[in-house]
Amino acid sequence: GSCFWVAVLDGNVVGIVAARAHEADNTVELLRMSVDSRFRGKGIAKALGRKVLEFALVHNYSAVVLGTTAVKVAAHKLYESLGFRHMGSSDHYVLPGMTLSLAERLFFQVRSHRYRLQLREE
């Protein structure tokens, strides 16, 4: 129910993406998409995203979901170009394993965005 893909160009790893299945709600979560900054804007992230969508379709999942803390507009445009819909955001996201002091809670906030691409109705 889970996969990991690596984009290779001229023998070098230039991008990665992972997908984790959630059987409880029949969705696949797109995780850890990253493209080497030297190779951005060349369609690699879009190809990796499409690979996750293909995986979800082949395995009959109803939707692909993702959460991101990306602040770059390009990341959000990429998800939307793949068909994802923005489902909301939160300003109270804490990175896994991170404990925040009172001062950090007052001054350090990370906005988390949720996206969903519905593939078929359940």
Side-chain angles (χ1 to χ4, degrees):
S2 298
C3 277
F4 184 83
W5 294 271
V6 177
V8 177
L9 183 64
D10 297 328
N12 298 306
V13 173
V14 296
I16 61 165
V17 70
R20 178 175 55 198
H22 296 280
E23 301 295 333
D25 63 357
N26 197 35
T27 64
V28 170
E29 184 178 11
L30 185 153
L31 297 164
R32 309 285 186 264
M33 184 185 293
S34 180
V35 174
D36 184 316
S37 61
R38 296 170 295 171
F39 297 94
R40 291 184 184 153
K42 299 184 183 313
I44 296 167
K46 190 170 268 193
L48 289 168
R50 286 183 178 145
K51 197 63 164 165
V52 173
L53 300 180
E54 178 185 307
F55 171 81
L57 285 167
V58 166
H59 291 90
N60 294 314
Y61 289 101
S62 61
V64 179
V65 298
L66 67 90
T68 183
T69 57
V71 295
K72 295 188 181 215
V73 174
H76 297 276
K77 285 186 177 186
L78 167 69
Y79 301 134
E80 290 167 3
S81 76
L82 288 168
F84 284 88
R85 284 190 24 222
H86 188 258
M87 303 302 290
S89 60
S90 170
D91 287 331
H92 303 290
Y93 181 77
V94 176
L95 298 169
M98 184 178 195
T99 58
L100 298 177
S101 69
L102 177 58
E104 287 171 320
R105 283 195 297 268
L106 289 173
F107 298 106
F108 180 76
Q109 290 187 351
V110 176
R111 176 168 283 187
S112 172
H113 299 269
R114 294 177 312 285
Y115 284 87
R116 181 180 187 93
L117 192 156
Q118 195 69 35
L119 300 171
R120 62 184 173 81
E121 295 300 320
E122 283 291 294

PDB file of all heavy atoms in Angstrom, residues 15-36:
ATOM      1  N   GLY A  15      15.041  13.923  -7.859  1.00  0.00           N
ATOM      2  CA  GLY A  15      13.762  14.116  -7.186  1.00  0.00           C
ATOM      3  C   GLY A  15      13.271  12.840  -6.538  1.00  0.00           C
ATOM      4  O   GLY A  15      13.701  11.740  -6.908  1.00  0.00           O
ATOM      5  N   ILE A  16      12.383  13.013  -5.554  1.00  0.00           N
ATOM      6  CA  ILE A  16      11.792  11.873  -4.851  1.00  0.00           C
ATOM      7  C   ILE A  16      10.335  12.185  -4.522  1.00  0.00           C
ATOM      8  O   ILE A  16       9.934  13.340  -4.431  1.00  0.00           O
ATOM      9  CB  ILE A  16      12.527  11.545  -3.536  1.00  0.00           C
ATOM     10  CG1 ILE A  16      12.458  12.736  -2.577  1.00  0.00           C
ATOM     11  CG2 ILE A  16      13.957  11.106  -3.798  1.00  0.00           C
ATOM     12  CD1 ILE A  16      12.833  12.406  -1.147  1.00  0.00           C
ATOM     13  N   VAL A  17       9.557  11.128  -4.343  1.00  0.00           N
ATOM     14  CA  VAL A  17       8.200  11.253  -3.817  1.00  0.00           C
ATOM     15  C   VAL A  17       7.812   9.908  -3.212  1.00  0.00           C
ATOM     16  O   VAL A  17       8.254   8.855  -3.665  1.00  0.00           O
ATOM     17  CB  VAL A  17       7.183  11.687  -4.898  1.00  0.00           C
ATOM     18  CG1 VAL A  17       6.928  10.592  -5.919  1.00  0.00           C
ATOM     19  CG2 VAL A  17       5.870  12.142  -4.264  1.00  0.00           C
ATOM     20  N   ALA A  18       6.992   9.981  -2.191  1.00  0.00           N
ATOM     21  CA  ALA A  18       6.485   8.767  -1.545  1.00  0.00           C
ATOM     22  C   ALA A  18       4.970   8.832  -1.501  1.00  0.00           C
ATOM     23  O   ALA A  18       4.369   9.909  -1.565  1.00  0.00           O
ATOM     24  CB  ALA A  18       7.051   8.642  -0.131  1.00  0.00           C
ATOM     25  N   ALA A  19       4.357   7.664  -1.382  1.00  0.00           N
ATOM     26  CA  ALA A  19       2.911   7.559  -1.233  1.00  0.00           C
ATOM     27  C   ALA A  19       2.617   6.524  -0.157  1.00  0.00           C
ATOM     28  O   ALA A  19       3.234   5.459  -0.134  1.00  0.00           O
ATOM     29  CB  ALA A  19       2.262   7.138  -2.544  1.00  0.00           C
ATOM     30  N   ARG A  20       1.688   6.867   0.729  1.00  0.00           N
ATOM     31  CA  ARG A  20       1.304   5.934   1.793  1.00  0.00           C
ATOM     32  C   ARG A  20      -0.207   5.759   1.746  1.00  0.00           C
ATOM     33  O   ARG A  20      -0.958   6.730   1.772  1.00  0.00           O
ATOM     34  CB  ARG A  20       1.723   6.470   3.154  1.00  0.00           C
ATOM     35  CG  ARG A  20       1.302   5.555   4.304  1.00  0.00           C
ATOM     36  CD  ARG A  20       1.812   6.015   5.631  1.00  0.00           C
ATOM     37  NE  ARG A  20       1.411   7.401   5.876  1.00  0.00           N
ATOM     38  CZ  ARG A  20       1.982   8.179   6.773  1.00  0.00           C
ATOM     39  NH1 ARG A  20       2.990   7.741   7.482  1.00  0.00           N
ATOM     40  NH2 ARG A  20       1.561   9.407   6.956  1.00  0.00           N
ATOM     41  N   ALA A  21      -0.632   4.514   1.683  1.00  0.00           N
ATOM     42  CA  ALA A  21      -2.055   4.201   1.634  1.00  0.00           C
ATOM     43  C   ALA A  21      -2.673   4.284   3.027  1.00  0.00           C
ATOM     44  O   ALA A  21      -2.030   3.944   4.018  1.00  0.00           O
ATOM     45  CB  ALA A  21      -2.257   2.801   1.069  1.00  0.00           C
ATOM     46  N   HIS A  22      -3.899   4.767   3.063  1.00  0.00           N
ATOM     47  CA  HIS A  22      -4.702   4.796   4.295  1.00  0.00           C
ATOM     48  C   HIS A  22      -5.964   3.991   4.011  1.00  0.00           C
ATOM     49  O   HIS A  22      -6.922   4.502   3.430  1.00  0.00           O
ATOM     50  CB  HIS A  22      -5.048   6.234   4.684  1.00  0.00           C
ATOM     51  CG  HIS A  22      -3.853   7.056   5.032  1.00  0.00           C
ATOM     52  ND1 HIS A  22      -3.240   6.994   6.258  1.00  0.00           N
ATOM     53  CD2 HIS A  22      -3.133   7.939   4.295  1.00  0.00           C
ATOM     54  CE1 HIS A  22      -2.199   7.814   6.270  1.00  0.00           C
ATOM     55  NE2 HIS A  22      -2.115   8.399   5.087  1.00  0.00           N
ATOM     56  N   GLU A  23      -5.925   2.730   4.398  1.00  0.00           N
ATOM     57  CA  GLU A  23      -7.030   1.819   4.107  1.00  0.00           C
ATOM     58  C   GLU A  23      -8.339   2.259   4.765  1.00  0.00           C
ATOM     59  O   GLU A  23      -9.410   2.052   4.211  1.00  0.00           O
ATOM     60  CB  GLU A  23      -6.673   0.386   4.560  1.00  0.00           C
ATOM     61  CG  GLU A  23      -5.421  -0.175   3.908  1.00  0.00           C
ATOM     62  CD  GLU A  23      -5.554  -0.371   2.405  1.00  0.00           C
ATOM     63  OE1 GLU A  23      -6.672  -0.573   1.904  1.00  0.00           O
ATOM     64  OE2 GLU A  23      -4.516  -0.305   1.727  1.00  0.00           O
ATOM     65  N   ALA A  24      -8.254   2.886   5.940  1.00  0.00           N
ATOM     66  CA  ALA A  24      -9.457   3.262   6.685  1.00  0.00           C
ATOM     67  C   ALA A  24     -10.384   4.158   5.869  1.00  0.00           C
ATOM     68  O   ALA A  24     -11.608   4.006   5.931  1.00  0.00           O
ATOM     69  CB  ALA A  24      -9.082   3.955   7.988  1.00  0.00           C
ATOM     70  N   ASP A  25      -9.823   5.088   5.087  1.00  0.00           N
ATOM     71  CA  ASP A  25     -10.671   5.964   4.278  1.00  0.00           C
ATOM     72  C   ASP A  25     -10.399   5.816   2.776  1.00  0.00           C
ATOM     73  O   ASP A  25     -10.841   6.634   1.976  1.00  0.00           O
ATOM     74  CB  ASP A  25     -10.544   7.424   4.716  1.00  0.00           C
ATOM     75  CG  ASP A  25      -9.137   7.977   4.528  1.00  0.00           C
ATOM     76  OD1 ASP A  25      -8.230   7.229   4.110  1.00  0.00           O
ATOM     77  OD2 ASP A  25      -8.954   9.170   4.811  1.00  0.00           O
ATOM     78  N   ASN A  26      -9.672   4.759   2.400  1.00  0.00           N
ATOM     79  CA  ASN A  26      -9.389   4.423   1.009  1.00  0.00           C
ATOM     80  C   ASN A  26      -8.713   5.568   0.251  1.00  0.00           C
ATOM     81  O   ASN A  26      -9.045   5.854  -0.888  1.00  0.00           O
ATOM     82  CB  ASN A  26     -10.669   3.970   0.287  1.00  0.00           C
ATOM     83  CG  ASN A  26     -10.351   3.232  -1.000  1.00  0.00           C
ATOM     84  OD1 ASN A  26      -9.363   2.515  -1.089  1.00  0.00           O
ATOM     85  ND2 ASN A  26     -11.182   3.419  -2.004  1.00  0.00           N
ATOM     86  N   THR A  27      -7.749   6.220   0.912  1.00  0.00           N
ATOM     87  CA  THR A  27      -7.000   7.298   0.265  1.00  0.00           C
ATOM     88  C   THR A  27      -5.519   6.959   0.234  1.00  0.00           C
ATOM     89  O   THR A  27      -5.052   6.062   0.936  1.00  0.00           O
ATOM     90  CB  THR A  27      -7.178   8.642   1.002  1.00  0.00           C
ATOM     91  OG1 THR A  27      -6.631   8.537   2.314  1.00  0.00           O
ATOM     92  CG2 THR A  27      -8.637   9.062   1.057  1.00  0.00           C
ATOM     93  N   VAL A  28      -4.810   7.696  -0.585  1.00  0.00           N
ATOM     94  CA  VAL A  28      -3.353   7.634  -0.646  1.00  0.00           C
ATOM     95  C   VAL A  28      -2.844   9.018  -0.282  1.00  0.00           C
ATOM     96  O   VAL A  28      -3.350  10.024  -0.788  1.00  0.00           O
ATOM     97  CB  VAL A  28      -2.857   7.242  -2.054  1.00  0.00           C
ATOM     98  CG1 VAL A  28      -1.357   7.426  -2.177  1.00  0.00           C
ATOM     99  CG2 VAL A  28      -3.245   5.820  -2.380  1.00  0.00           C
ATOM    100  N   GLU A  29      -1.845   9.068   0.595  1.00  0.00           N
ATOM    101  CA  GLU A  29      -1.250  10.338   0.977  1.00  0.00           C
ATOM    102  C   GLU A  29       0.052  10.539   0.218  1.00  0.00           C
ATOM    103  O   GLU A  29       0.939   9.685   0.257  1.00  0.00           O
ATOM    104  CB  GLU A  29      -0.987  10.359   2.475  1.00  0.00           C
ATOM    105  CG  GLU A  29      -0.449  11.676   2.968  1.00  0.00           C
ATOM    106  CD  GLU A  29      -0.240  11.704   4.474  1.00  0.00           C
ATOM    107  OE1 GLU A  29      -0.322  10.638   5.125  1.00  0.00           O
ATOM    108  OE2 GLU A  29       0.035  12.795   4.990  1.00  0.00           O
ATOM    109  N   LEU A  30       0.155  11.645  -0.491  1.00  0.00           N
ATOM    110  CA  LEU A  30       1.393  12.010  -1.172  1.00  0.00           C
ATOM    111  C   LEU A  30       2.313  12.608  -0.117  1.00  0.00           C
ATOM    112  O   LEU A  30       1.943  13.537   0.586  1.00  0.00           O
ATOM    113  CB  LEU A  30       1.094  13.027  -2.273  1.00  0.00           C
ATOM    114  CG  LEU A  30       2.248  13.450  -3.171  1.00  0.00           C
ATOM    115  CD1 LEU A  30       1.709  13.872  -4.528  1.00  0.00           C
ATOM    116  CD2 LEU A  30       3.085  14.546  -2.578  1.00  0.00           C
ATOM    117  N   LEU A  31       3.527  12.045  -0.013  1.00  0.00           N
ATOM    118  CA  LEU A  31       4.476  12.451   1.019  1.00  0.00           C
ATOM    119  C   LEU A  31       5.838  12.781   0.431  1.00  0.00           C
ATOM    120  O   LEU A  31       6.255  12.205  -0.564  1.00  0.00           O
ATOM    121  CB  LEU A  31       4.695  11.309   2.019  1.00  0.00           C
ATOM    122  CG  LEU A  31       3.510  10.846   2.829  1.00  0.00           C
ATOM    123  CD1 LEU A  31       3.806   9.492   3.449  1.00  0.00           C
ATOM    124  CD2 LEU A  31       3.213  11.860   3.909  1.00  0.00           C
ATOM    125  N   ARG A  32       6.539  13.677   1.067  1.00  0.00           N
ATOM    126  CA  ARG A  32       7.965  13.903   0.835  1.00  0.00           C
ATOM    127  C   ARG A  32       8.368  14.200  -0.599  1.00  0.00           C
ATOM    128  O   ARG A  32       9.403  13.747  -1.053  1.00  0.00           O
ATOM    129  CB  ARG A  32       8.783  12.708   1.319  1.00  0.00           C
ATOM    130  CG  ARG A  32       8.520  12.245   2.719  1.00  0.00           C
ATOM    131  CD  ARG A  32       9.128  13.162   3.746  1.00  0.00           C
ATOM    132  NE  ARG A  32       8.989  12.631   5.076  1.00  0.00           N
ATOM    133  CZ  ARG A  32       8.026  12.966   5.915  1.00  0.00           C
ATOM    134  NH1 ARG A  32       7.110  13.841   5.555  1.00  0.00           N
ATOM    135  NH2 ARG A  32       7.970  12.440   7.113  1.00  0.00           N
ATOM    136  N   MET A  33       7.552  14.934  -1.341  1.00  0.00           N
ATOM    137  CA  MET A  33       7.974  15.287  -2.696  1.00  0.00           C
ATOM    138  C   MET A  33       9.063  16.358  -2.613  1.00  0.00           C
ATOM    139  O   MET A  33       8.915  17.355  -1.931  1.00  0.00           O
ATOM    140  CB  MET A  33       6.824  15.811  -3.534  1.00  0.00           C
ATOM    141  CG  MET A  33       7.270  16.074  -4.971  1.00  0.00           C
ATOM    142  SD  MET A  33       6.033  16.835  -6.010  1.00  0.00           S
ATOM    143  CE  MET A  33       4.828  15.556  -6.137  1.00  0.00           C
ATOM    144  N   SER A  34      10.150  16.090  -3.311  1.00  0.00           N
ATOM    145  CA  SER A  34      11.254  17.040  -3.323  1.00  0.00           C
ATOM    146  C   SER A  34      12.014  16.906  -4.635  1.00  0.00           C
ATOM    147  O   SER A  34      12.228  15.795  -5.122  1.00  0.00           O
ATOM    148  CB  SER A  34      12.202  16.751  -2.149  1.00  0.00           C
ATOM    149  OG  SER A  34      13.272  17.657  -2.154  1.00  0.00           O
ATOM    150  N   VAL A  35      12.394  18.056  -5.201  1.00  0.00           N
ATOM    151  CA  VAL A  35      13.196  18.084  -6.424  1.00  0.00           C
ATOM    152  C   VAL A  35      14.403  18.973  -6.158  1.00  0.00           C
ATOM    153  O   VAL A  35      14.273  20.065  -5.599  1.00  0.00           O
ATOM    154  CB  VAL A  35      12.375  18.613  -7.626  1.00  0.00           C
ATOM    155  CG1 VAL A  35      13.251  18.788  -8.855  1.00  0.00           C
ATOM    156  CG2 VAL A  35      11.213  17.669  -7.933  1.00  0.00           C
ATOM    157  N   ASP A  36      15.567  18.490  -6.546  1.00  0.00           N
ATOM    158  CA  ASP A  36      16.803  19.256  -6.421  1.00  0.00           C
ATOM    159  C   ASP A  36      16.584  20.633  -7.036  1.00  0.00           C
ATOM    160  O   ASP A  36      16.080  20.747  -8.155  1.00  0.00           O
ATOM    161  CB  ASP A  36      17.916  18.500  -7.152  1.00  0.00           C
ATOM    162  CG  ASP A  36      19.287  19.132  -7.017  1.00  0.00           C
ATOM    163  OD1 ASP A  36      19.398  20.376  -7.144  1.00  0.00           O
ATOM    164  OD2 ASP A  36      20.260  18.392  -6.816  1.00  0.00           O
TER     165      ASP A  36
END
